[in-house]
Amino acid sequence: STKGDERRRLILEDARRALLANGYANLSVREIAKRVGISIGNLQYYYPSKDDLVEAIIQQEIDHSLGLLDEIEWAPKHIKASLGDAVSTVLNYLAGPAGRLYLISGTLALTEARFQVQHELGYAQVFASITQILRVAAPHLDPSIQGRYVSIFVALIDGATLRIQGMDDAKRKSETKKLAEDISATILALIKTD
């Protein structure tokens, strides 16, 4: 129902803010219910446990980031601009709160099986999306080489996310732009040398 959808949206918004502000260990489902104006039982109707709630927040971020890649127009003759747009869009997104949630997700995946499964499925979706990008960008590449390049692409984005999340806001903006340019140039150099 629309009332249920709205309540779900409010819960996820508040829980996302709380997760970013307080971290996983200090996330209180009871406090979220209180701020949203519902009983703990009502919140648990939508998200039976804290882990269910965090999993929903992380999945929402995964879906949003994949949507960003889907919005980019890929034309083989404009691949440099398309790739630059894609890397810039993703890094700018990960330079903000989404990047912090991504890091929280990765940390949870190290110790919690359910988050490890979600993390792996999220990466599989990202790999599939980037594989499609490389098929357009470099249709001449052997699929096994494309797979290696996708791994390199994702590793560069992961490393850049770790780097920019540790910076103050002013430096993060300029560094994100530089890293996006460097990652794009690296990927372009790789696909042209093969």
Side-chain angles (χ1 to χ4, degrees):
S1 72
T2 57
K3 184 178 179 181
D5 292 340
E6 177 63 12
R7 186 162 286 157
R8 212 178 253 109
R9 184 188 66 74
L10 291 172
I11 292 167
L12 284 176
E13 279 180 11
D14 190 81
R16 183 180 187 271
R17 277 192 299 274
L19 182 61
L20 285 167
N22 306 321
Y24 175 80
N26 296 316
L27 185 67
S28 168
V29 176
R30 190 170 306 283
E31 286 299 314
I32 293 165
K34 186 176 171 183
R35 282 191 302 271
V36 173
I38 60 175
S39 70
I40 187 77
N42 202 346
L43 187 143
Q44 289 173 326
Y45 170 79
Y46 297 103
Y47 303 100
S49 71
K50 176 176 158 175
D51 285 351
D52 291 320
L53 181 57
V54 172
E55 196 171 55
I57 294 165
I58 293 168
Q59 189 59 53
Q60 187 177 46
E61 291 300 325
I62 291 168
D63 294 343
H64 185 76
S65 63
L66 290 170
L68 291 174
L69 288 174
D70 289 343
E71 291 174 11
I72 304 220
E73 299 221 9
W74 296 95
K77 62 183 177 178
H78 302 293
I79 201 62
K80 183 177 181 180
S82 298
L83 186 62
D85 288 348
V87 173
S88 182
T89 298
V90 170
L91 272 188
N92 281 315
Y93 179 66
L94 293 173
R100 290 191 51 227
L101 287 173
Y102 165 74
L103 297 176
I104 290 169
S105 167
T107 302
L108 290 171
L110 294 173
T111 58
E112 303 289 330
R114 79 184 289 166
F115 292 109
Q116 182 179 17
V117 168
Q118 184 182 34
H119 202 68
E120 289 172 7
L121 289 173
Y123 264 111
Q125 291 173 297
V126 168
F127 271 70
S129 184
I130 294 173
T131 298
Q132 291 301 323
I133 291 167
L134 282 186
R135 283 188 184 137
V136 172
H140 62 282
L141 291 178
D142 180 83
S144 65
I145 293 171
Q146 277 181 347
R148 288 190 0 241
Y149 289 174
V150 169
S151 293
I152 292 168
F153 189 108
V154 171
L156 290 170
I157 296 291
D158 285 351
T161 301
L162 285 170
R163 174 137 174 72
I164 58 183
Q165 279 298 314
M167 297 177 177
D168 63 44
D169 289 340
K171 190 171 182 181
R172 184 181 301 143
K173 188 173 183 175
S174 66
E175 192 65 20
T176 299
K177 186 177 186 319
K178 288 178 199 170
L179 284 168
E181 291 168 359
D182 291 344
I183 291 169
S184 295
T186 301
I187 297 301
L188 284 169
L190 276 174
I191 61 178
K192 286 182 179 177
T193 59
D194 238 317

